[in-house]
Amino acid sequence: MKEQASPHPLQTTFQELMDEDSIRTFQKFFASSKDLMSCYRCAIMEIETKFRVLDERFSLTHDRNPIDNIQTRLKSPESIREKLLRKNLPLTLEAIEKNLFDIAGVRVVCSFVDDIYMLADCLLRQDDITLIERKDYIEKPKGNGYRSLHLIVEVPIFLQNEKKLMKVEVQLRTIAMEFWANLEHQLRYKKNLSPEIIARTTRQLNECAQLSSVLDSQMQDIRDMIDNDRMS
Ligand code: 0O2
C-alpha cells in the first residue's frame, strides 16, 4: 500500500506517452481529479479517526492498545491510470468512482490476530459505515502466503454544502503479517530473476508466511494465558 519513492508520476507518463495529445489529456484529467482526490483524503481522515477512537477507548478498559500503527495512502495518479488501463476502463472520474475501490487506503497494524476481528466488528457496527466487500486472507491466505483482512467500506464525508459517500479500502493485519508483506512486496518488484530463483524464493516466502502465522498464534496464546491469569 505504501507508495514507494519513485520518479514523479507525470515524468513516467511523459516518457511512456509520446504524442502530445495524450500528454495533454492526462494533464487535464489529473487537474480535474483534484476535487475527487480531496474527497478521498477526507474519507481517509474519517476512517483513521474512527480507528484512533477505538484504540483510545479500548486502552482505557483493557490497559493495552490493540493498534500498533496506522498507515494511510492515496493511490498515485500513475497507479490509477495503470489500473484503469488494466481493467479496460476509460480515464474518467466516473470510472474511478464506480470501479476503483482502493483509491483511499487505510492499513491498520494490530498487535494480535483477535484484535483484527474485534476492530473490524467495531467499525462495521457503526451506523454510518456500509460494508461493500470483505476478503479474509487470514482464514484463507493467498497462494503465496499473503495474510490480511481486507474490507471495502463506504463512509460519508460532510462538505460545505453536501454529503458524499466515499469508498475506502481498509487492510487489517498483525505486525507479523506486515513484516512478511513488506518484504514480499520489496522482493516482488525485483526484476530479471531466473525462473529457478523465482520458484525457490516463492517456496521460501511461503514457508516464511507459515512461520509468521505460527508466531501470531503463539503470541495470541501467551496473551490469552496472561489475560486469564489476571482475571482469576
Ligand atoms: P498497493 O500499492 O499496495 O495499493 P485489485 O485491487 O483489483 O487490483 P484484488 O486482488 O482484487 O486486486 O485486491 P486484493 O486482493 O484485495 O489486494 C489488493 C491489495 O492488497 C494490494 O494492493 C496490496 O496492498 C495487498 N496485497 C494483496 N496481495 C498481496 C500480496 O501477495 N503481497 C503483498 N505484499 N500485498 C498484497 P496493490 O494495488 O497491489 O498495491
Side-chain angles (χ1 to χ4, degrees), residues 1 73 83 135 137 142 144 146 150 171 181 184:
M1 185 176 285
R73 76 102 179 85
K83 196 160 182 178
K135 288 187 197 165
Y137 295 125
K142 280 196 166 181
N144 60 0
Y146 175 79
H150 289 193
Q171 296 182 350
E184 191 269 352

Side-chain angles (χ1 to χ4, degrees), residues 26 55 80 168 192-193 199 204 230:
F26 188 68
D55 190 55
I80 294 174
V168 177
N192 300 327
L193 297 175
Q204 286 180 331
R230 284 174 64 191

Side-chain angles (χ1 to χ4, degrees), residues 5 27 57 73-74 105 220:
Q27 282 175 326
R57 298 302 293 176
R73 76 102 179 85
L74 193 66
Q220 179 78 57

Side-chain angles (χ1 to χ4, degrees), residues 64-111:
R64 68 173 191 88
N65 291 85
I67 297 179
D68 182 77
N69 69 81
I70 301 180
Q71 302 151 32
T72 64
R73 76 102 179 85
L74 193 66
K75 215 171 183 63
S76 70
E78 186 54 27
S79 302
I80 294 174
R81 191 186 72 94
E82 261 172 31
K83 196 160 182 178
L84 288 172
L85 282 176
R86 183 157 45 87
K87 291 184 171 251
N88 227 347
L89 292 164
L91 195 65
T92 64
L93 300 182
E94 293 71 35
I96 293 179
E97 275 205 274
K98 251 180 98 178
N99 302 285
L100 305 192
F101 298 164
D102 64 342
I103 304 295
V106 175
R107 180 174 296 153
V108 184
V109 180
C110 301
S111 305

Side-chain angles (χ1 to χ4, degrees), residues 108-197:
V108 184
V109 180
C110 301
S111 305
F112 298 96
V113 176
D114 68 354
D115 292 331
I116 292 176
Y117 292 103
M118 179 273 293
L119 288 165
D121 284 350
C122 290
L123 177 76
L124 296 175
R125 275 202 305 270
Q126 299 185 7
D127 61 13
D128 56 348
I129 292 286
T130 306
L131 177 66
I132 306 294
E133 190 181 281
R134 182 180 189 276
K135 288 187 197 165
D136 191 343
Y137 295 125
I138 300 172
E139 204 176 82
K140 269 198 182 155
K142 280 196 166 181
N144 60 0
Y146 175 79
R147 294 183 303 138
S148 281
L149 178 66
H150 289 193
L151 307 173
I152 305 289
V153 296
E154 202 165 54
V155 63
I157 56 165
F158 295 88
L159 311 176
Q160 286 97 325
N161 299 312
E162 64 171 318
K163 170 181 158 184
K164 211 168 148 50
L165 293 174
M166 304 301 299
K167 293 192 180 62
V168 177
E169 182 188 68
V170 180
Q171 296 182 350
L172 295 116
R173 51 172 75 154
T174 60
I175 300 165
M177 295 173 198
E178 167 76 349
F179 170 77
W180 182 93
N182 277 347
L183 295 187
E184 191 269 352
H185 190 267
Q186 280 179 31
L187 296 166
R188 216 164 33 135
Y189 289 100
K190 294 263 183 219
K191 300 279 188 306
N192 300 327
L193 297 175
S194 66
E196 191 212 337
I197 289 294

